[in-house]
Amino acid sequence: MNNYTNDNTARRYKADISIFGTTQIHLRNPFIVAWWSAAFPGFGHMMLCKYPRGYALFIWEVVVNIKAHVNLAMIYSFQGNISMAKEVLDTRWLLMYIPVYLFAIWDSYRTTVDLNKIFILADHEDHPFNSFSLGPTGINYLDKRNPLASIMWSLFIPGLGHLYIHRIMTALFIILWVVVFFYQSHALEAVSLLFLGKIKEASVVLNPEWLLFLPSHYGFAAFASYVDTIENNKLYEKEQRRYLMENYQDTGFQILKGQKVK
């Protein structure tokens, strides 16, 4: 195991391994990141490991969405009841909601473009980064994980896929809010009633305004954990390759491209 630490002696690093998780930069499609910000403000920034900004936008989305009744208006719109959708919207909150919603999309796109440029430079500089962290509160290390397992656990309960790959900050935040969404929407209560064959009661007990948060939450948890697992695996392979080359490869070893060894 190497003794590298990210002590800011290099200009750029591609990753950092800490007790609380693995933080890394890699090439991303800015349109996909912007799309997740449109689906739920904060998700795009959380994908980029911009956690404080992502958490702030996420909480803003939940609070202002509920106060403005945006989800409720969407439900009425899906039902074709446009007049009722206009009726339930609270314009005092809605006029605050729109600028922040647009900012989340724009800023996540802009940040992704910037981080892609930084990653290209960091990859060219190729400074060593730490791959093992051990302390009183836990242990984290680079290794390979199964991306399909990340999806599977995320579909059971959002956040478990991120726990599987030791993305602790994101995992705890996602799990906390999925509990809030389940409780406020009465989704699990409705599922219990469905198992008992009480379909009408299950429909009545649901709170659709809170229920509409869950699809985005599940989708993001599965997608982000899958992508993070793949990138984590790439990071592991690159770090392992560097270690083997530095410690076991002969300094005179060369691969002559296009020439056959006789």
Side-chain angles (χ1 to χ4, degrees):
M1 189 64 63
N2 65 43
N3 295 316
Y4 299 131
T5 57
N6 292 18
D7 55 5
N8 290 325
T9 56
R11 190 173 186 186
R12 300 177 183 89
Y13 295 99
K14 288 181 289 186
D16 179 69
I17 310 300
S18 72
I19 297 299
F20 300 105
T22 301
T23 303
Q24 68 180 115
I25 56 174
H26 57 84
L27 293 177
R28 299 179 187 271
N29 187 328
F31 292 103
I32 292 178
V33 176
W35 186 91
W36 278 111
S37 291
F40 207 121
F43 279 162
H45 291 85
M46 288 164 64
M47 288 180 67
L48 300 172
C49 299
K50 305 282 284 187
Y51 297 121
R53 196 179 307 181
Y55 298 160
L57 288 169
F58 184 100
I59 294 170
W60 172 274
E61 162 68 16
V62 174
V63 173
V64 181
N65 186 309
I66 292 297
K67 291 293 185 179
H69 304 295
V70 174
N71 280 357
L72 196 57
M74 288 175 62
I75 292 167
Y76 284 126
S77 298
F78 295 155
Q79 296 171 345
N81 194 344
I82 306 300
S83 60
M84 194 64 188
K86 294 178 181 178
E87 179 98 12
V88 298
L89 281 173
D90 188 332
T91 53
R92 293 174 301 174
W93 287 94
L94 185 65
L95 293 178
M96 288 192 295
Y97 176 86
I98 295 173
V100 177
Y101 181 82
L102 295 176
F103 169 81
I105 299 171
W106 172 80
D107 190 60
S108 63
Y109 179 92
R110 177 198 63 82
T111 305
T112 306
V113 172
D114 286 346
L115 286 178
N116 284 347
K117 295 175 182 177
I118 292 172
F119 171 78
I120 292 170
L121 294 172
D123 191 50
H124 178 72
E125 294 167 7
D126 199 25
H127 290 294
F129 53 87
N130 61 318
S131 61
F132 186 90
S133 182
L134 177 66
T137 56
I139 180 173
N140 185 23
Y141 52 91
L142 276 180
D143 68 339
K144 297 194 75 170
R145 303 289 171 91
N146 187 341
L148 295 180
S150 296
I151 293 179
M152 180 191 71
W153 287 115
S154 295
L155 292 178
F156 276 120
I157 292 292
L160 294 184
H162 285 87
L163 276 181
Y164 170 63
I165 57 174
H166 205 88
R167 301 292 176 106
I168 303 299
M169 301 293 290
T170 302
L172 293 179
F173 190 83
I174 291 175
I175 290 173
L176 170 67
W177 279 99
V178 81
V179 171
V180 173
F181 295 153
F182 272 133
Y183 182 81
Q184 293 291 346
S185 66
H186 302 278
L188 297 182
E189 188 179 349
V191 171
S192 301
L193 290 170
L194 280 175
F195 285 148
L196 296 173
K198 300 178 180 180
I199 299 175
K200 185 176 181 181
E201 291 89 336
S203 301
V204 171
V205 78
L206 280 173
N207 185 335
E209 196 167 14
W210 285 91
L211 184 66
L212 208 59
F213 288 125
L214 282 171
S216 297
H217 212 64
Y218 266 92
F220 171 77
F223 175 81
S225 64
Y226 176 81
V227 171
D228 287 343
T229 305
I230 290 175
E231 294 301 330
N232 191 81
N233 290 346
K234 292 179 182 177
L235 200 64
Y236 168 81
E237 290 172 356
K238 184 138 193 173
E239 192 279 333
Q240 188 74 359
R241 187 182 303 116
R242 171 193 285 275
Y243 176 80
L244 294 173
M245 288 173 63
E246 290 182 354
N247 292 276
Y248 293 98
Q249 183 171 296
D250 188 277
T251 54
F253 177 80
Q254 290 184 346
I255 297 178
L256 300 178
K257 188 175 181 181
Q259 297 184 23
K260 295 182 179 179
V261 179
K262 297 181 179 179

